[in-house]
Amino acid sequence: MMTERDTETVHEAYSFVCLHCGHGWEEEYEIRHTPDAGGRRHAEYFCHGRRVPSPLTHTDCPGCTRGPIRILRPGRVKGMQAYLG
């Protein structure tokens, strides 16, 4: 039986840019790592309190709903927006 103690939670941020329309955005995720019955660890991603697909495997551009999407280090979009003023 799995307990809360078996769950490891980490927080990660990602920056994204759409290579189709140029839209850039950043999101923070809560990632919960839990073991299954066989002891293998699985990750569940949460954004703004709701479960979402992994941003590493599935992301839609909120600007054009197309892509492809490039994932960047956290802070890259905000840093560029500050630079461009």
Side-chain angles (χ1 to χ4, degrees), residues 9-71:
T9 301
V10 295
H11 293 86
E12 291 186 14
Y14 298 98
S15 293
F16 304 92
V17 65
C18 178
L19 300 179
H20 177 76
C21 72
H23 179 69
W25 71 101
E26 298 192 9
E27 288 290 346
E28 292 184 21
Y29 295 88
E30 177 180 296
I31 307 164
R32 299 177 192 164
H33 297 275
T34 55
D36 64 13
R40 292 178 301 269
R41 305 216 28 104
H42 294 276
E44 294 179 300
Y45 288 77
F46 293 82
C47 186
H48 305 290
R50 65 180 177 92
R51 188 170 180 204
V52 296
S54 167
L56 305 176
T57 59
H58 176 77
T59 302
D60 291 327
C61 174
C64 70
T65 66
R66 294 180 67 178
I69 304 298
R70 171 79 41 98
I71 301 173

